Amino acid sequence: MKRVMALDVGFKKIGIAVSDPLLLTANPHSIIYRKSNKETFSKLLELIEKLNVGKIIIGIPISSEGKETKMAEKIKKFALKLDSFLKEQGKKIEIIFVDESYSSLEAKELCRFLGKTEKEEIDDVAAALMLKEWLENANQS
């Protein structure tokens, strides 16, 4: 069974989480520091192939009014470019957008509870929380 990868996309870095092959658990994986899109996409492709990924979940921030933010527009453009890159490489991978409005805040709280300092990076934990919620919803249907 193919895994699901979640991306917490930011301007400077991308937090990555991956499911187990049975799609039951979500685990923080790594953080990629963004440089050029080509370099970032190549690193993502490497992980996709290595981990046998079949779907990608990408978090989109939604405002308290329920509308997409400016950052959401930028993330969607990034996702379109990633999708084109993957297709050029012969990879057909479904990209699904999910609301990630509170994932970073929730990740900070969880990391604080686990004893991590404020300076430690949490982007992969935020991606894992998004993925966990998506997996729970997908497994209920």
Side-chain angles (χ1 to χ4, degrees), residues 81-126:
K81 291 177 184 175
L82 173 61
D83 187 49
S84 293
F85 174 83
L86 292 173
K87 284 179 179 164
E88 288 170 11
Q89 304 303 312
K91 299 286 179 193
K92 278 186 134 182
I93 297 180
E94 183 180 7
I95 295 177
I96 301 166
F97 296 106
V98 298
D99 180 5
E100 62 124 50
S101 300
Y102 300 104
S103 63
S104 293
L105 183 62
E106 201 176 332
K108 281 181 187 173
E109 290 296 319
L110 177 61
C111 287
R112 193 173 304 129
F113 177 77
L114 295 173
K116 284 189 168 192
T117 66
E118 283 285 325
K119 297 198 188 292
E120 290 184 77
E121 304 203 339
I122 60 163
D123 305 270
D124 55 342
V125 176

Coordinates of all heavy atoms in Angstrom, one line a residue, residues 81-126:
K81 N 2.9 23.9 -9.3 CA 4.3 23.7 -9.8 C 4.8 22.4 -9.5 O 5.4 21.7 -10.3 CB 5.2 24.9 -9.4 CG 4.9 26.2 -10.0 CD 5.8 27.3 -9.4 CE 5.3 28.7 -9.9 NZ 6.1 29.7 -9.3
L82 N 4.6 22.0 -8.2 CA 5.0 20.6 -7.8 C 4.3 19.6 -8.6 O 5.0 18.6 -9.1 CB 4.7 20.4 -6.3 CG 5.0 19.0 -5.7 CD1 6.5 18.6 -5.9 CD2 4.6 19.0 -4.3
D83 N 3.0 19.7 -8.8 CA 2.3 18.7 -9.6 C 2.8 18.6 -11.0 O 3.0 17.5 -11.5 CB 0.8 19.1 -9.6 CG -0.1 18.1 -10.3 OD1 0.0 16.9 -9.9 OD2 -0.9 18.5 -11.1
S84 N 3.1 19.8 -11.6 CA 3.7 19.8 -13.0 C 5.0 19.1 -13.0 O 5.3 18.3 -13.9 CB 3.8 21.2 -13.5 OG 2.6 21.8 -13.7
F85 N 5.9 19.4 -12.0 CA 7.2 18.8 -11.9 C 7.1 17.3 -11.8 O 7.8 16.5 -12.5 CB 8.0 19.3 -10.7 CG 9.3 18.6 -10.5 CD1 10.4 19.0 -11.2 CD2 9.4 17.6 -9.5 CE1 11.6 18.4 -10.9 CE2 10.6 17.0 -9.3 CZ 11.7 17.3 -10.0
L86 N 6.2 16.8 -10.9 CA 6.0 15.4 -10.7 C 5.5 14.7 -12.0 O 6.0 13.6 -12.3 CB 5.1 15.1 -9.5 CG 5.6 15.5 -8.2 CD1 4.5 15.3 -7.1 CD2 6.8 14.7 -7.8
K87 N 4.6 15.3 -12.7 CA 4.1 14.7 -14.0 C 5.2 14.6 -15.0 O 5.3 13.7 -15.7 CB 2.9 15.6 -14.5 CG 1.6 15.3 -13.7 CD 0.5 16.1 -14.2 CE -0.8 15.7 -13.3 NZ -1.8 16.7 -13.5
E88 N 6.1 15.7 -15.0 CA 7.2 15.6 -16.0 C 8.1 14.5 -15.6 O 8.8 13.9 -16.5 CB 8.0 16.9 -15.9 CG 7.3 18.1 -16.5 CD 8.1 19.4 -16.2 OE1 9.2 19.4 -15.6 OE2 7.5 20.5 -16.4
Q89 N 8.2 14.1 -14.4 CA 9.0 13.0 -13.9 C 8.3 11.6 -14.0 O 8.8 10.6 -13.6 CB 9.5 13.2 -12.5 CG 10.2 14.5 -12.2 CD 11.4 14.7 -13.1 OE1 12.2 13.8 -13.2 NE2 11.5 15.8 -13.7
G90 N 7.1 11.6 -14.6 CA 6.3 10.4 -14.8 C 5.6 10.0 -13.5 O 5.2 8.8 -13.4
K91 N 5.4 10.9 -12.6 CA 4.7 10.5 -11.3 C 3.3 11.1 -11.3 O 3.1 12.3 -11.4 CB 5.4 11.0 -10.1 CG 6.8 10.5 -9.9 CD 6.8 9.1 -9.5 CE 8.2 8.5 -9.3 NZ 8.2 7.1 -9.2
K92 N 2.3 10.3 -11.1 CA 0.9 10.7 -11.0 C 0.5 10.6 -9.5 O 0.2 9.5 -9.1 CB 0.0 9.9 -11.8 CG -0.1 10.3 -13.3 CD -1.2 9.5 -14.0 CE -2.0 10.4 -14.9 NZ -3.1 9.6 -15.5
I93 N 0.6 11.7 -8.8 CA 0.4 11.7 -7.4 C -0.7 12.7 -7.1 O -0.6 13.9 -7.4 CB 1.6 12.0 -6.6 CG1 2.6 10.9 -6.9 CG2 1.3 12.1 -5.1 CD1 4.0 11.0 -6.2
E94 N -1.8 12.2 -6.4 CA -2.9 13.1 -6.1 C -2.5 14.1 -5.0 O -1.8 13.7 -4.0 CB -4.1 12.2 -5.6 CG -5.3 13.0 -5.2 CD -6.5 12.2 -4.7 OE1 -6.3 11.0 -4.5 OE2 -7.5 12.8 -4.5
I95 N -2.8 15.3 -5.2 CA -2.5 16.4 -4.2 C -3.8 16.8 -3.6 O -4.8 17.2 -4.3 CB -1.7 17.5 -4.8 CG1 -0.3 17.1 -5.2 CG2 -1.6 18.7 -3.8 CD1 0.5 18.1 -5.9
I96 N -3.9 16.8 -2.3 CA -5.2 17.1 -1.6 C -4.9 18.3 -0.6 O -3.9 18.2 0.1 CB -5.7 15.9 -0.8 CG1 -6.0 14.7 -1.7 CG2 -6.9 16.3 0.1 CD1 -6.1 13.4 -1.0
F97 N -5.7 19.3 -0.7 CA -5.5 20.4 0.2 C -6.4 20.3 1.5 O -7.6 19.8 1.4 CB -5.9 21.8 -0.5 CG -5.0 22.1 -1.6 CD1 -5.5 22.0 -2.9 CD2 -3.7 22.5 -1.4 CE1 -4.7 22.2 -4.0 CE2 -2.9 22.8 -2.5 CZ -3.4 22.7 -3.8
V98 N -5.8 20.6 2.6 CA -6.6 20.5 3.9 C -6.4 21.8 4.7 O -5.4 22.5 4.5 CB -6.2 19.3 4.8 CG1 -6.4 18.0 4.1 CG2 -4.7 19.4 5.2
D99 N -7.3 22.1 5.5 CA -7.2 23.3 6.4 C -6.2 23.0 7.5 O -6.2 22.1 8.2 CB -8.6 23.6 7.1 CG -8.5 24.8 8.0 OD1 -7.5 25.5 8.0 OD2 -9.6 25.0 8.6
E100 N -5.1 23.9 7.5 CA -4.1 23.7 8.5 C -4.0 24.9 9.5 O -3.0 25.1 10.1 CB -2.7 23.6 7.8 CG -2.4 24.8 7.0 CD -1.0 25.4 7.3 OE1 0.0 24.7 7.4 OE2 -1.0 26.6 7.6
S101 N -5.1 25.6 9.6 CA -5.2 26.8 10.4 C -4.5 26.7 11.7 O -3.8 27.6 12.1 CB -6.6 27.3 10.5 OG -7.1 27.5 9.3
Y102 N -4.7 25.7 12.4 CA -4.2 25.6 13.8 C -3.1 24.6 14.0 O -2.7 24.3 15.2 CB -5.4 25.4 14.8 CG -6.4 26.5 14.7 CD1 -7.6 26.3 14.0 CD2 -6.2 27.7 15.2 CE1 -8.6 27.3 13.9 CE2 -7.1 28.7 15.1 CZ -8.3 28.5 14.4 OH -9.2 29.5 14.3
S103 N -2.6 24.0 12.9 CA -1.7 22.9 13.1 C -0.4 23.4 13.7 O 0.2 22.7 14.6 CB -1.4 22.2 11.8 OG -0.8 23.1 10.8
S104 N 0.1 24.5 13.4 CA 1.4 25.0 13.9 C 1.2 25.4 15.4 O 2.1 25.1 16.2 CB 1.9 26.3 13.2 OG 2.2 25.9 11.9
L105 N 0.1 26.0 15.8 CA -0.2 26.3 17.2 C -0.3 25.0 18.0 O 0.2 24.9 19.1 CB -1.5 27.1 17.3 CG -1.9 27.6 18.7 CD1 -0.9 28.5 19.2 CD2 -3.3 28.3 18.6
E106 N -1.0 24.0 17.4 CA -1.2 22.7 18.1 C 0.2 22.0 18.2 O 0.5 21.4 19.3 CB -2.2 21.9 17.3 CG -2.8 20.8 18.0 CD -3.8 20.0 17.2 OE1 -4.4 20.6 16.3 OE2 -4.0 18.8 17.5
A107 N 1.0 22.2 17.2 CA 2.3 21.6 17.3 C 3.2 22.2 18.3 O 3.9 21.5 19.1 CB 3.0 21.7 15.9
K108 N 3.1 23.5 18.5 CA 3.9 24.2 19.5 C 3.4 23.7 20.9 O 4.3 23.5 21.7 CB 3.6 25.7 19.4 CG 4.4 26.4 18.4 CD 4.2 27.9 18.4 CE 4.9 28.5 17.2 NZ 4.5 30.0 17.0
E109 N 2.1 23.6 21.1 CA 1.6 23.1 22.4 C 2.1 21.7 22.7 O 2.6 21.4 23.8 CB 0.1 23.2 22.4 CG -0.5 24.5 22.5 CD -0.1 25.3 23.7 OE1 -0.1 24.7 24.8 OE2 0.2 26.5 23.6
L110 N 2.1 20.8 21.7 CA 2.5 19.5 21.8 C 4.0 19.4 22.1 O 4.4 18.7 23.0 CB 2.2 18.7 20.6 CG 2.6 17.2 20.6 CD1 2.0 16.4 21.7 CD2 2.3 16.5 19.2
C111 N 4.8 20.2 21.4 CA 6.2 20.2 21.6 C 6.6 20.7 23.0 O 7.5 20.2 23.7 CB 6.9 21.0 20.5 SG 6.9 20.1 18.9
R112 N 5.8 21.7 23.4 CA 6.1 22.3 24.8 C 5.8 21.2 25.8 O 6.5 21.0 26.8 CB 5.2 23.5 25.0 CG 5.6 24.3 26.2 CD 4.8 25.6 26.4 NE 5.0 26.4 25.2 CZ 4.0 27.0 24.5 NH1 2.7 26.8 24.9 NH2 4.2 27.7 23.4
F113 N 4.7 20.5 25.6 CA 4.3 19.4 26.5 C 5.4 18.3 26.5 O 5.7 17.7 27.6 CB 3.0 18.8 26.1 CG 2.5 17.6 26.9 CD1 2.0 17.8 28.1 CD2 2.6 16.3 26.4 CE1 1.5 16.7 28.9 CE2 2.2 15.2 27.1 CZ 1.7 15.4 28.4
L114 N 6.0 18.0 25.4 CA 7.0 17.0 25.3 C 8.4 17.5 25.7 O 9.4 16.7 25.7 CB 7.1 16.5 23.8 CG 5.9 15.8 23.3 CD1 6.0 15.5 21.8 CD2 5.6 14.5 24.1
G115 N 8.5 18.8 26.1 CA 9.8 19.3 26.6 C 10.7 19.9 25.6 O 11.8 20.2 25.9
K116 N 10.2 20.1 24.3 CA 11.0 20.8 23.3 C 11.0 22.3 23.6 O 10.0 22.8 24.1 CB 10.5 20.5 21.9 CG 10.8 19.1 21.4 CD 10.4 19.1 19.9 CE 10.9 17.8 19.3 NZ 10.8 17.8 17.8
T117 N 12.1 22.9 23.2 CA 12.2 24.3 23.4 C 11.5 25.1 22.3 O 11.3 24.5 21.2 CB 13.7 24.8 23.5 OG1 14.3 24.6 22.3 CG2 14.4 24.0 24.6
E118 N 11.2 26.4 22.5 CA 10.6 27.2 21.5 C 11.5 27.3 20.2 O 11.0 27.4 19.1 CB 10.4 28.6 22.0 CG 9.3 28.8 22.9 CD 7.9 28.8 22.2 OE1 7.8 29.3 21.1 OE2 7.0 28.2 22.8
K119 N 12.8 27.2 20.4 CA 13.7 27.3 19.2 C 13.8 26.1 18.4 O 14.2 26.2 17.2 CB 15.1 27.7 19.7 CG 15.1 29.0 20.5 CD 16.5 29.6 20.5 CE 16.6 30.8 21.4 NZ 16.0 32.0 20.9
E120 N 13.3 25.0 18.9 CA 13.4 23.7 18.1 C 12.3 23.8 17.0 O 11.2 24.4 17.2 CB 13.2 22.5 18.9 CG 14.4 22.3 19.8 CD 14.2 21.0 20.6 OE1 14.4 19.9 20.1 OE2 13.9 21.1 21.8
E121 N 12.6 23.2 15.9 CA 11.7 23.3 14.7 C 10.5 22.3 14.8 O 10.7 21.2 15.3 CB 12.5 23.2 13.4 CG 13.6 24.2 13.4 CD 14.1 24.5 12.1 OE1 13.9 23.7 11.2 OE2 14.7 25.5 11.9
I122 N 9.4 22.8 14.5 CA 8.2 22.0 14.7 C 7.4 21.8 13.4 O 6.3 21.2 13.4 CB 7.2 22.7 15.7 CG1 6.8 24.1 15.2 CG2 7.9 22.7 17.1 CD1 5.6 24.6 15.9
D123 N 7.9 22.2 12.2 CA 7.2 22.1 11.0 C 6.8 20.7 10.6 O 5.7 20.4 10.1 CB 8.0 22.7 9.9 CG 8.4 24.1 10.2 OD1 7.7 25.0 9.8 OD2 9.5 24.3 10.8
D124 N 7.7 19.7 10.9 CA 7.3 18.3 10.6 C 6.3 17.8 11.6 O 5.4 17.0 11.2 CB 8.6 17.4 10.7 CG 9.4 17.5 12.0 OD1 9.2 18.5 12.7 OD2 10.2 16.6 12.2
V125 N 6.3 18.3 12.8 CA 5.2 17.9 13.8 C 3.9 18.5 13.3 O 2.8 17.8 13.4 CB 5.6 18.4 15.2 CG1 4.4 18.1 16.2 CG2 6.9 17.7 15.7
A126 N 3.9 19.7 12.9 CA 2.6 20.3 12.3 C 2.1 19.5 11.2 O 0.9 19.3 11.1 CB 2.9 21.8 11.9

